[in-house]
Amino acid sequence: MELIRSQSRPRRRNPARSAPKRHGATIVEFAVVAPLLFFMIFLYIEFDRYILTVHAMKEAARVGCRVAILDGATLEEVETE
């Protein structure tokens, strides 16, 4: 009888209990990644505003040129369009 008990399978460990303690690791990882994430979002918004401004300037120049080539156009008309 003693021989049978010694050959029985070992107990399985609970993976939650055998895992290393990682209290606060998520907060630290977020603190490292969050500034980069926020910077990238801010960079995307600012780049979009830059492209919008460049497009508006090009459109204004195009409209100004179209008004300027008309016969009888004055400087005042070109500047106000």
Side-chain angles (χ1 to χ4, degrees):
M1 194 67 129
E2 199 63 39
L3 183 58
I4 294 173
R5 286 187 185 172
S6 66
Q7 292 178 355
S8 65
R9 290 189 288 168
R11 285 188 188 173
R12 286 192 236 174
R13 292 184 182 167
N14 185 352
R17 288 187 178 187
S18 64
K21 302 291 183 198
R22 292 182 44 108
H23 297 295
T26 305
I27 295 172
V28 171
E29 290 171 2
F30 180 75
V32 170
V33 173
L36 181 62
L37 178 67
F38 294 141
F39 175 74
M40 289 176 66
I41 291 170
F42 179 73
L43 185 67
Y44 176 76
I45 292 169
E46 288 300 313
F47 184 71
D48 188 47
R49 289 180 59 206
Y50 168 75
I51 295 298
L52 180 70
T53 304
V54 168
H55 176 71
M57 289 171 43
K58 286 181 180 180
E59 181 66 16
R62 187 184 69 79
V63 169
C65 288
R66 289 187 68 187
V67 170
I69 63 171
L70 296 175
D71 286 334
T74 63
L75 180 62
E76 184 178 321
E77 290 174 338
V78 173
E79 288 178 350
T80 57
E81 288 291 321

Coordinates of all heavy atoms in Angstrom, one line a residue:
M1 N 0.8 -1.2 0.0 CA 0.0 0.0 0.0 C 0.9 1.3 0.0 O 0.5 2.2 -0.6 CB -0.9 -0.1 1.2 CG -2.0 0.9 1.2 SD -3.1 0.5 -0.1 CE -4.6 0.4 0.7
E2 N 1.9 1.2 0.7 CA 2.8 2.3 0.8 C 3.5 2.6 -0.5 O 3.7 3.8 -0.9 CB 3.9 2.0 1.9 CG 4.6 3.2 2.4 CD 3.7 4.1 3.2 OE1 2.8 3.7 3.9 OE2 3.9 5.3 3.0
L3 N 3.7 1.6 -1.3 CA 4.3 1.8 -2.6 C 3.4 2.5 -3.6 O 3.8 3.3 -4.4 CB 4.7 0.4 -3.1 CG 5.5 0.4 -4.5 CD1 6.7 1.2 -4.4 CD2 5.7 -1.0 -4.9
I4 N 2.1 2.2 -3.5 CA 1.1 2.8 -4.4 C 1.0 4.3 -4.1 O 0.9 5.1 -5.0 CB -0.2 2.1 -4.3 CG1 -0.1 0.7 -4.8 CG2 -1.3 2.9 -5.1 CD1 -1.3 -0.1 -4.5
R5 N 1.0 4.7 -2.9 CA 0.9 6.2 -2.6 C 2.1 7.0 -3.0 O 2.0 8.1 -3.5 CB 0.7 6.3 -1.1 CG -0.7 6.0 -0.6 CD -0.8 6.3 0.8 NE -2.1 5.9 1.2 CZ -2.5 5.9 2.5 NH1 -1.7 6.3 3.4 NH2 -3.7 5.4 2.8
S6 N 3.2 6.4 -3.0 CA 4.4 7.1 -3.4 C 4.5 7.3 -4.9 O 5.2 8.2 -5.4 CB 5.7 6.5 -2.9 OG 5.8 5.2 -3.5
Q7 N 3.8 6.5 -5.7 CA 3.9 6.6 -7.1 C 2.7 7.4 -7.7 O 2.5 7.6 -8.9 CB 3.9 5.2 -7.8 CG 5.1 4.5 -7.5 CD 5.1 3.1 -8.1 OE1 4.1 2.7 -8.6 NE2 6.2 2.4 -8.0
S8 N 1.9 8.0 -6.8 CA 0.7 8.8 -7.3 C 1.2 10.1 -8.0 O 2.3 10.6 -7.7 CB -0.2 9.1 -6.2 OG 0.4 9.9 -5.3
R9 N 0.4 10.6 -8.9 CA 0.8 11.8 -9.6 C 0.9 13.0 -8.6 O 0.1 13.1 -7.7 CB -0.3 12.1 -10.7 CG -0.2 11.1 -11.8 CD -1.1 11.6 -12.9 NE -2.5 11.4 -12.5 CZ -3.5 11.9 -13.2 NH1 -3.3 12.6 -14.3 NH2 -4.7 11.7 -12.8
P10 N 1.8 13.9 -8.9 CA 1.9 15.1 -8.1 C 0.7 16.0 -8.4 O 0.1 16.0 -9.5 CB 3.2 15.8 -8.5 CG 3.5 15.2 -9.9 CD 2.8 13.8 -9.9
R11 N 0.4 16.8 -7.4 CA -0.7 17.8 -7.6 C -0.3 18.9 -8.6 O 0.8 19.3 -8.7 CB -1.0 18.5 -6.3 CG -1.7 17.7 -5.3 CD -1.9 18.8 -4.2 NE -2.5 18.2 -3.0 CZ -2.6 19.0 -1.9 NH1 -2.3 20.2 -1.9 NH2 -3.1 18.5 -0.8
R12 N -1.3 19.3 -9.3 CA -1.1 20.4 -10.2 C -1.1 21.7 -9.5 O -1.9 21.9 -8.5 CB -2.2 20.5 -11.3 CG -2.1 19.4 -12.3 CD -3.0 19.7 -13.5 NE -3.8 18.6 -13.7 CZ -4.8 18.6 -14.5 NH1 -5.1 19.6 -15.2 NH2 -5.6 17.5 -14.7
R13 N -0.2 22.6 -9.9 CA -0.2 23.9 -9.2 C -1.2 24.9 -9.8 O -1.5 24.8 -11.0 CB 1.2 24.5 -9.4 CG 2.3 23.8 -8.6 CD 3.6 24.5 -8.8 NE 4.6 23.8 -8.1 CZ 5.9 24.0 -8.3 NH1 6.3 25.0 -9.1 NH2 6.8 23.3 -7.6
N14 N -1.7 25.7 -9.0 CA -2.6 26.8 -9.5 C -1.8 27.8 -10.2 O -0.9 28.5 -9.6 CB -3.4 27.4 -8.3 CG -4.4 28.3 -8.8 OD1 -4.5 28.7 -9.9 ND2 -5.3 28.8 -7.8
P15 N -2.0 28.1 -11.5 CA -1.1 29.1 -12.2 C -1.2 30.5 -11.6 O -0.3 31.2 -11.7 CB -1.6 29.1 -13.6 CG -2.8 28.2 -13.7 CD -2.9 27.5 -12.4
A16 N -2.4 30.8 -11.1 CA -2.5 32.2 -10.5 C -1.6 32.3 -9.2 O -1.1 33.4 -8.9 CB -4.0 32.4 -10.1
R17 N -1.5 31.2 -8.5 CA -0.7 31.3 -7.3 C 0.8 31.2 -7.6 O 1.6 31.7 -6.8 CB -1.1 30.2 -6.3 CG -2.4 30.4 -5.7 CD -2.6 29.4 -4.7 NE -3.9 29.6 -4.0 CZ -4.3 28.9 -3.0 NH1 -3.6 27.9 -2.5 NH2 -5.5 29.2 -2.5
S18 N 1.2 30.5 -8.6 CA 2.6 30.3 -8.9 C 3.2 31.5 -9.7 O 4.4 31.6 -9.9 CB 2.8 29.0 -9.6 OG 2.2 29.0 -10.9
A19 N 2.3 32.4 -10.3 CA 2.8 33.5 -11.1 C 3.5 34.5 -10.2 O 3.2 34.7 -9.0 CB 1.6 34.2 -11.7
P20 N 4.6 35.2 -10.7 CA 5.3 36.1 -9.9 C 4.4 37.3 -9.6 O 3.5 37.7 -10.3 CB 6.4 36.6 -10.8 CG 6.0 36.2 -12.1 CD 5.1 35.0 -12.0
K21 N 4.6 38.0 -8.5 CA 3.9 39.1 -8.1 C 4.2 40.3 -9.0 O 5.3 40.7 -9.2 CB 4.2 39.5 -6.6 CG 3.9 38.4 -5.6 CD 2.5 38.1 -5.5 CE 2.2 37.1 -4.4 NZ 1.0 36.4 -4.5
R22 N 3.2 40.9 -9.6 CA 3.3 42.0 -10.5 C 2.4 43.2 -10.2 O 1.9 43.8 -11.0 CB 3.1 41.5 -11.9 CG 4.1 40.5 -12.4 CD 3.9 40.1 -13.8 NE 3.5 41.2 -14.7 CZ 4.3 41.8 -15.6 NH1 5.5 41.3 -15.8 NH2 3.9 42.8 -16.4
H23 N 2.2 43.4 -8.9 CA 1.4 44.5 -8.5 C 1.9 45.8 -9.0 O 3.1 46.1 -8.8 CB 1.2 44.6 -7.0 CG 0.5 43.4 -6.4 ND1 -0.8 43.0 -6.7 CD2 1.0 42.4 -5.6 CE1 -1.1 41.9 -6.1 NE2 0.0 41.5 -5.4
G24 N 1.2 46.6 -9.7 CA 1.6 47.9 -10.2 C 2.3 47.9 -11.5 O 2.7 49.0 -12.0
A25 N 2.6 46.8 -12.0 CA 3.3 46.7 -13.3 C 2.5 47.3 -14.4 O 3.1 48.0 -15.3 CB 3.7 45.3 -13.7
T26 N 1.2 47.2 -14.4 CA 0.4 47.8 -15.5 C 0.4 49.3 -15.4 O 0.5 49.9 -16.4 CB -1.0 47.3 -15.3 OG1 -1.1 45.8 -15.3 CG2 -1.9 47.8 -16.4
I27 N 0.4 49.8 -14.2 CA 0.5 51.3 -14.1 C 1.8 51.8 -14.6 O 1.9 52.9 -15.3 CB 0.2 51.7 -12.6 CG1 -1.2 51.3 -12.2 CG2 0.5 53.2 -12.4 CD1 -1.5 51.5 -10.8
V28 N 2.9 51.1 -14.3 CA 4.2 51.6 -14.7 C 4.3 51.5 -16.2 O 4.8 52.4 -16.9 CB 5.3 50.8 -14.0 CG1 6.7 51.1 -14.6 CG2 5.3 51.0 -12.5
E29 N 3.8 50.4 -16.8 CA 3.8 50.3 -18.2 C 3.0 51.4 -18.9 O 3.4 51.9 -19.9 CB 3.3 48.9 -18.7 CG 4.3 47.8 -18.3 CD 3.7 46.4 -18.5 OE1 2.6 46.3 -18.9 OE2 4.4 45.4 -18.2
F30 N 1.8 51.7 -18.4 CA 1.0 52.7 -18.9 C 1.7 54.1 -18.8 O 1.7 54.9 -19.7 CB -0.3 52.8 -18.2 CG -1.2 53.9 -18.7 CD1 -1.9 53.7 -19.9 CD2 -1.4 55.0 -18.0 CE1 -2.7 54.7 -20.4 CE2 -2.3 56.0 -18.4 CZ -2.9 55.9 -19.7
A31 N 2.4 54.3 -17.7 CA 3.1 55.6 -17.5 C 4.2 55.7 -18.5 O 4.6 56.8 -18.9 CB 3.7 55.6 -16.1
V32 N 4.8 54.6 -18.9 CA 5.9 54.7 -19.9 C 5.3 54.9 -21.3 O 5.8 55.7 -22.1 CB 6.7 53.4 -19.9 CG1 7.7 53.3 -21.0 CG2 7.5 53.4 -18.6
V33 N 4.2 54.2 -21.7 CA 3.6 54.2 -23.0 C 2.7 55.4 -23.3 O 2.6 55.9 -24.4 CB 2.9 52.9 -23.3 CG1 2.2 52.9 -24.6 CG2 3.9 51.7 -23.2
A34 N 2.0 55.9 -22.2 CA 1.0 56.9 -22.4 C 1.6 58.2 -23.0 O 1.0 58.8 -23.9 CB 0.3 57.2 -21.1
P35 N 2.7 58.7 -22.5 CA 3.2 60.0 -23.1 C 3.5 59.8 -24.6 O 3.2 60.7 -25.4 CB 4.5 60.3 -22.3 CG 4.3 59.6 -21.0 CD 3.5 58.4 -21.3
L36 N 4.0 58.7 -25.0 CA 4.3 58.4 -26.4 C 3.0 58.4 -27.2 O 2.9 59.0 -28.3 CB 5.1 57.1 -26.6 CG 5.5 56.8 -28.0 CD1 6.4 57.8 -28.6 CD2 6.1 55.4 -28.0
L37 N 2.0 57.7 -26.7 CA 0.7 57.6 -27.3 C 0.1 59.0 -27.5 O -0.4 59.4 -28.5 CB -0.2 56.7 -26.6 CG -1.6 56.6 -27.1 CD1 -1.6 55.8 -28.4 CD2 -2.5 55.8 -26.1
F38 N 0.1 59.8 -26.4 CA -0.5 61.1 -26.4 C 0.3 62.1 -27.4 O -0.3 62.9 -28.1 CB -0.6 61.8 -25.0 CG -1.5 61.1 -24.1 CD1 -1.2 60.9 -22.8 CD2 -2.7 60.6 -24.6 CE1 -2.1 60.2 -22.0 CE2 -3.6 59.9 -23.8 CZ -3.3 59.7 -22.4
F39 N 1.6 61.9 -27.4 CA 2.4 62.7 -28.3 C 2.1 62.4 -29.8 O 2.0 63.3 -30.6 CB 3.9 62.4 -28.0 CG 4.8 63.1 -29.0 CD1 5.0 64.5 -29.0 CD2 5.5 62.4 -30.0 CE1 5.9 65.1 -29.9 CE2 6.3 63.0 -30.9 CZ 6.5 64.4 -30.8
M40 N 1.9 61.1 -30.1 CA 1.6 60.7 -31.4 C 0.2 61.2 -31.8 O 0.0 61.7 -33.0 CB 1.6 59.2 -31.6 CG 3.0 58.7 -31.5 SD 3.1 56.9 -31.6 CE 2.5 56.6 -33.2
I41 N -0.8 61.2 -30.9 CA -2.1 61.8 -31.2 C -2.0 63.3 -31.5 O -2.6 63.8 -32.4 CB -3.1 61.4 -30.1 CG1 -3.4 59.9 -30.1 CG2 -4.4 62.2 -30.3 CD1 -4.1 59.5 -28.9
F42 N -1.3 64.0 -30.6 CA -1.1 65.4 -30.7 C -0.4 65.7 -32.0 O -0.7 66.7 -32.8 CB -0.3 65.9 -29.5 CG 0.0 67.4 -29.6 CD1 -1.0 68.3 -29.4 CD2 1.3 67.9 -29.9 CE1 -0.7 69.7 -29.4 CE2 1.5 69.2 -30.0 CZ 0.5 70.1 -29.7
L43 N 0.7 64.9 -32.4 CA 1.4 65.2 -33.6 C 0.5 65.0 -34.8 O 0.6 65.8 -35.8 CB 2.6 64.2 -33.7 CG 3.5 64.3 -34.9 CD1 4.3 65.6 -34.8 CD2 4.5 63.2 -34.9
Y44 N -0.4 64.0 -34.8 CA -1.3 63.8 -35.9 C -2.2 65.0 -36.1 O -2.5 65.4 -37.2 CB -2.1 62.5 -35.7 CG -3.2 62.2 -36.7 CD1 -2.8 61.8 -38.0 CD2 -4.5 62.5 -36.4 CE1 -3.8 61.5 -38.9 CE2 -5.5 62.3 -37.4 CZ -5.1 61.8 -38.6 OH -6.1 61.6 -39.6
I45 N -2.8 65.5 -35.0 CA -3.7 66.6 -35.0 C -3.0 67.9 -35.6 O -3.5 68.6 -36.4 CB -4.3 66.9 -33.6 CG1 -5.2 65.7 -33.3 CG2 -5.0 68.2 -33.6 CD1 -5.7 65.8 -31.8
E46 N -1.8 68.1 -35.1 CA -1.0 69.3 -35.6 C -0.6 69.2 -37.0 O -0.7 70.2 -37.8 CB 0.2 69.5 -34.7 CG -0.1 70.0 -33.3 CD -0.8 71.4 -33.3 OE1 -0.4 72.3 -34.1 OE2 -1.8 71.5 -32.6
F47 N -0.2 68.0 -37.5 CA 0.1 67.8 -38.9 C -1.1 68.0 -39.7 O -1.0 68.6 -40.8 CB 0.7 66.4 -39.1 CG 1.1 66.1 -40.5 CD1 2.3 66.8 -41.0 CD2 0.4 65.3 -41.3 CE1 2.7 66.6 -42.3 CE2 0.8 65.1 -42.6 CZ 2.0 65.7 -43.1
D48 N -2.3 67.6 -39.3 CA -3.5 67.8 -40.0 C -3.8 69.3 -40.1 O -4.2 69.7 -41.2 CB -4.7 67.0 -39.3 CG -5.9 67.1 -40.2 OD1 -5.9 66.8 -41.4 OD2 -7.0 67.4 -39.6
R49 N -3.6 70.0 -39.1 CA -3.8 71.5 -39.1 C -2.9 72.1 -40.1 O -3.2 73.1 -40.8 CB -3.7 72.1 -37.7 CG -4.8 71.7 -36.8 CD -4.7 72.3 -35.4 NE -4.6 73.8 -35.5 CZ -4.0 74.5 -34.6 NH1 -3.4 74.0 -33.6 NH2 -3.9 75.8 -34.8
Y50 N -1.6 71.7 -40.1 CA -0.6 72.2 -41.0 C -1.1 72.0 -42.5 O -1.0 72.9 -43.3 CB 0.7 71.5 -40.8 CG 1.7 71.8 -41.9 CD1 2.4 73.1 -42.0 CD2 2.1 70.8 -42.8 CE1 3.3 73.3 -43.0 CE2 3.0 71.1 -43.8 CZ 3.6 72.4 -43.9 OH 4.5 72.6 -44.8
I51 N -1.5 70.7 -42.8 CA -1.9 70.4 -44.2 C -3.2 71.3 -44.5 O -3.3 71.8 -45.6 CB -2.3 68.9 -44.3 CG1 -1.0 68.1 -44.1 CG2 -2.9 68.6 -45.6 CD1 0.1 68.3 -45.1
L52 N -4.1 71.5 -43.6 CA -5.3 72.3 -43.8 C -4.9 73.7 -44.1 O -5.4 74.4 -45.1 CB -6.2 72.3 -42.6 CG -7.5 73.1 -42.7 CD1 -8.4 72.4 -43.7 CD2 -8.1 73.2 -41.3
T53 N -3.9 74.3 -43.4 CA -3.4 75.6 -43.6 C -2.8 75.8 -45.0 O -3.0 76.8 -45.7 CB -2.5 76.1 -42.5 OG1 -3.1 75.9 -41.3 CG2 -2.0 77.5 -42.7
V54 N -1.9 74.8 -45.4 CA -1.2 74.9 -46.7 C -2.3 74.8 -47.8 O -2.2 75.5 -48.8 CB -0.2 73.7 -46.8 CG1 0.3 73.6 -48.2 CG2 1.0 73.9 -45.8
H55 N -3.3 73.9 -47.6 CA -4.3 73.8 -48.6 C -5.1 75.2 -48.8 O -5.4 75.6 -49.9 CB -5.3 72.7 -48.3 CG -6.4 72.6 -49.2 ND1 -6.3 72.2 -50.5 CD2 -7.7 72.9 -49.1 CE1 -7.5 72.2 -51.1 NE2 -8.4 72.6 -50.2
A56 N -5.4 75.8 -47.6 CA -6.1 77.1 -47.7 C -5.3 78.2 -48.4 O -5.9 79.0 -49.1 CB -6.5 77.5 -46.3
M57 N -4.0 78.2 -48.1 CA -3.1 79.2 -48.7 C -3.1 79.0 -50.2 O -3.1 79.9 -51.0 CB -1.8 79.2 -48.1 CG -1.7 79.7 -46.7 SD -0.2 79.5 -45.8 CE 1.0 79.9 -46.9
K58 N -2.9 77.7 -50.6 CA -2.9 77.4 -52.1 C -4.2 77.7 -52.8 O -4.2 78.3 -53.9 CB -2.5 75.9 -52.3 CG -1.1 75.6 -52.0 CD -0.8 74.1 -52.3 CE 0.6 73.8 -52.0 NZ 0.9 72.3 -52.3
E59 N -5.3 77.5 -52.1 CA -6.6 77.8 -52.7 C -6.8 79.3 -52.8 O -7.3 79.8 -53.8 CB -7.7 77.2 -51.8 CG -9.1 77.4 -52.3 CD -9.4 76.8 -53.7 OE1 -8.6 75.9 -54.1 OE2 -10.4 77.2 -54.3
A60 N -6.3 80.1 -51.8 CA -6.4 81.5 -51.9 C -5.6 82.1 -53.0 O -6.0 83.0 -53.7 CB -6.0 82.1 -50.5
A61 N -4.4 81.5 -53.2 CA -3.5 82.0 -54.3 C -4.1 81.6 -55.6 O -4.1 82.4 -56.6 CB -2.1 81.3 -54.1
R62 N -4.7 80.5 -55.7 CA -5.4 80.1 -57.0 C -6.5 81.0 -57.3 O -6.7 81.5 -58.4 CB -5.9 78.6 -56.9 CG -6.4 78.1 -58.2 CD -7.0 76.7 -58.0 NE -8.2 76.7 -57.2 CZ -9.4 77.1 -57.7 NH1 -9.6 77.4 -58.9 NH2 -10.5 77.0 -56.9
V63 N -7.4 81.3 -56.3 CA -8.5 82.2 -56.6 C -8.0 83.6 -56.9 O -8.6 84.3 -57.8 CB -9.5 82.2 -55.3 CG1 -10.5 83.3 -55.4 CG2 -10.1 80.9 -55.2
G64 N -7.0 84.1 -56.2 CA -6.4 85.4 -56.5 C -5.9 85.5 -57.9 O -6.1 86.5 -58.6
C65 N -5.2 84.4 -58.4 CA -4.7 84.4 -59.8 C -5.8 84.4 -60.8 O -5.7 85.0 -61.8 CB -3.8 83.2 -59.9 SG -2.2 83.3 -59.1
R66 N -6.9 83.6 -60.5 CA -8.0 83.6 -61.4 C -8.7 85.0 -61.6 O -9.1 85.4 -62.6 CB -9.1 82.6 -61.0 CG -8.6 81.2 -61.1 CD -9.7 80.2 -60.8 NE -10.7 80.3 -61.9 CZ -11.8 79.7 -61.9 NH1 -12.1 78.9 -60.9 NH2 -12.7 79.8 -62.9
V67 N -8.8 85.7 -60.4 CA -9.4 87.0 -60.5 C -8.4 88.0 -61.2 O -8.8 88.9 -62.0 CB -9.7 87.6 -59.1 CG1 -10.1 89.0 -59.1 CG2 -10.8 86.7 -58.5
A68 N -7.1 87.8 -61.0 CA -6.1 88.8 -61.5 C -6.0 88.7 -63.1 O -5.7 89.7 -63.7 CB -4.8 88.5 -60.9
I69 N -6.3 87.5 -63.6 CA -6.2 87.4 -65.1 C -7.4 87.9 -65.9 O -7.4 88.0 -67.1 CB -5.9 86.0 -65.5 CG1 -7.0 85.0 -65.1 CG2 -4.6 85.5 -64.9 CD1 -6.8 83.6 -65.7
L70 N -8.5 88.3 -65.2 CA -9.6 88.8 -65.8 C -9.3 90.2 -66.4 O -8.6 91.0 -65.8 CB -10.8 88.9 -64.9 CG -11.4 87.6 -64.3 CD1 -12.4 87.8 -63.3 CD2 -11.9 86.7 -65.5
D71 N -9.9 90.5 -67.5 CA -9.7 91.9 -68.1 C -10.4 92.9 -67.2 O -11.5 92.7 -66.7 CB -10.4 91.9 -69.5 CG -9.6 91.2 -70.5 OD1 -8.4 91.1 -70.3 OD2 -10.2 90.7 -71.5
G72 N -9.7 94.0 -66.9 CA -10.2 95.0 -66.1 C -10.1 94.8 -64.6 O -10.7 95.5 -63.8
A73 N -9.4 93.8 -64.2 CA -9.3 93.5 -62.7 C -8.4 94.5 -62.1 O -7.3 94.8 -62.6 CB -8.8 92.1 -62.5
T74 N -8.7 95.0 -60.9 CA -7.9 96.0 -60.2 C -7.2 95.2 -59.1 O -7.6 94.1 -58.7 CB -8.7 97.1 -59.6 OG1 -9.7 96.6 -58.7 CG2 -9.5 97.8 -60.8
L75 N -6.2 95.9 -58.5 CA -5.4 95.3 -57.4 C -6.4 95.1 -56.2 O -6.2 94.1 -55.5 CB -4.3 96.3 -57.1 CG -3.4 95.8 -55.9 CD1 -2.7 94.5 -56.2 CD2 -2.3 96.9 -55.6
E76 N -7.3 96.1 -56.0 CA -8.2 95.9 -54.9 C -9.1 94.7 -55.0 O -9.3 94.0 -54.0 CB -9.0 97.2 -54.8 CG -10.0 97.2 -53.6 CD -10.8 98.5 -53.5 OE1 -10.2 99.6 -53.8 OE2 -12.0 98.4 -53.1
E77 N -9.6 94.4 -56.2 CA -10.4 93.2 -56.4 C -9.6 91.9 -56.2 O -10.1 91.0 -55.6 CB -11.0 93.2 -57.8 CG -12.0 94.3 -58.1 CD -12.4 94.3 -59.6 OE1 -11.6 93.8 -60.4 OE2 -13.5 94.8 -59.9
V78 N -8.4 91.9 -56.6 CA -7.5 90.7 -56.4 C -7.3 90.5 -54.9 O -7.3 89.4 -54.4 CB -6.2 90.9 -57.2 CG1 -5.3 89.7 -56.9 CG2 -6.5 90.9 -58.7
E79 N -7.0 91.6 -54.2 CA -6.6 91.4 -52.8 C -7.8 91.1 -51.9 O -7.7 90.4 -50.9 CB -6.0 92.7 -52.3 CG -4.6 92.9 -52.8 CD -4.0 94.2 -52.3 OE1 -4.7 95.0 -51.7 OE2 -2.7 94.3 -52.5
T80 N -9.0 91.5 -52.3 CA -10.2 91.2 -51.5 C -10.9 89.9 -51.8 O -11.6 89.4 -51.0 CB -11.3 92.3 -51.6 OG1 -11.6 92.5 -53.0 CG2 -10.8 93.6 -51.1
E81 N -10.6 89.3 -53.0 CA -11.2 88.0 -53.3 C -10.5 87.0 -52.6 O -10.6 86.1 -52.1 CB -11.2 87.8 -54.8 CG -12.1 88.6 -55.6 CD -13.5 88.3 -55.4 OE1 -13.9 87.1 -55.3 OE2 -14.3 89.3 -55.4

